[in-house]
Amino acid sequence: ARMGRTVVELFYDVISPYSWLGFEVLCRYQHIWNIDLRFRPAFLGGIMQKTGNKPPAMLPKRAEYMLKDIKRMAKYYQVPVKISRDDFQRIISTSSLAAMRFITAIDMTKTEYLEPLTREFWIRFWSQHEDISQPEDILTVARQAGLSSELSQKALEMTSSPTVKDRLKETTDEAIKYGAFGMPAVVAHYNGEPHLFFGSDRLELLGSVIGE
């Protein structure tokens, strides 16, 4: 970390709309706060499975609230998340594993593309309501993010390698070790200890804990 900067890790998955909100807000705060922001692509499915958590939309009252909540937050933070009732089914029937492995491969090879690539996945899934689970979807997203076809192809091949699979698994386990049970999970390393904040509506609290 740069002198006296607080390391803030953001564990996220592109299937999670709240992760997108948290991501964009932290991207803005990193220029204002004295933080060293680190993106940690992880697998939400793995976290849910290992912690016994269930998608919030499975509880009808909660699903109803979530629809309103995400719309309000999207408007407030000016992030183009578009959500409707059908999206709950879409989330359940879409696996983000291939996308998160691809993002992990880019994180391991060309970190400078991590932010734009991740954002394009959210735009495709949450603004354009297109699929992100097939290789052709992934390559389209990569092209939108400015990756060359050589780099995209190489990263796509890497997604089936043990190196990438293990890295994604390790990052996911690390999030769980910090106490994560869903996404986004934000971990601030302050005063020699990790502080976990869950969700995208705790960022002001995060600021106050780290003295911002």
Side-chain angles (χ1 to χ4, degrees):
R2 281 164 288 178
M3 252 324 270
R5 283 185 177 265
T6 301
V7 172
V8 174
E9 299 182 273
L10 169 65
F11 293 89
Y12 67 87
D13 186 320
V14 293
I15 202 87
S16 152
Y18 284 113
S19 288
W20 190 12
L21 294 161
F23 175 90
E24 295 298 359
V25 177
L26 282 171
C27 281
R28 294 168 200 171
Y29 276 143
Q30 72 176 331
H31 304 294
I32 306 163
W33 288 354
N34 195 27
I35 61 172
D36 185 3
L37 180 59
R38 298 188 184 168
F39 299 122
R40 306 295 310 276
F43 182 48
L44 180 56
I47 289 183
M48 299 298 252
Q49 195 189 348
K50 287 186 176 171
T51 60
N53 196 354
K54 300 263 184 293
M58 289 178 88
L59 186 67
K61 279 288 173 207
R62 200 165 166 195
E64 230 170 88
Y65 175 77
M66 233 176 107
L67 278 176
K68 290 183 194 138
D69 188 49
I70 290 175
K71 282 176 185 165
R72 279 193 298 226
M73 287 188 77
K75 191 179 172 197
Y76 178 72
Y77 287 124
Q78 300 288 296
V79 178
V81 184
K82 297 186 177 69
I83 190 166
S84 70
R85 212 167 283 280
D86 310 338
D87 287 319
F88 296 138
Q89 199 40 57
R90 228 163 53 93
I91 298 176
I92 292 165
S93 58
T94 301
S95 171
S96 62
L97 187 58
M100 293 317 295
R101 279 181 182 158
F102 186 83
I103 291 169
T104 300
I106 289 299
D107 186 23
M108 293 171 81
T109 50
K110 284 272 189 222
T111 322
E112 63 269 30
Y113 285 114
L114 187 56
E115 186 186 321
L117 175 69
T118 298
R119 184 175 287 115
E120 288 298 336
F121 269 107
W122 273 309
I123 290 171
R124 183 169 171 85
F125 193 77
W126 283 106
S127 291
Q128 299 162 348
H129 287 189
E130 300 280 352
D131 193 17
I132 54 165
S133 64
Q134 301 307 310
E136 58 271 24
D137 302 315
I138 291 172
L139 291 173
T140 301
V141 170
R143 196 169 54 242
Q144 294 292 130
L147 279 72
S148 69
S149 54
E150 292 79 15
L151 179 57
S152 306
Q153 211 50 59
K154 187 182 156 218
L156 196 60
E157 281 159 24
M158 283 175 71
T159 57
S160 52
S161 72
T163 326
V164 167
K165 289 179 177 177
D166 290 348
R167 169 73 170 264
L168 181 60
K169 222 168 150 178
E170 281 157 21
T171 307
T172 305
D173 287 342
E174 214 176 307
I176 295 169
K177 195 182 82 212
Y178 285 130
F181 51 87
M183 297 263 187
V186 182
V187 178
H189 298 270
Y190 189 68
N191 273 349
E193 55 177 307
H195 300 261
L196 171 77
F197 298 87
F198 170 65
S200 51
D201 54 353
R202 289 289 181 271
L203 300 175
E204 288 74 16
L205 190 60
L206 158 74
S208 95
V209 168
I210 64 173
E212 288 296 344

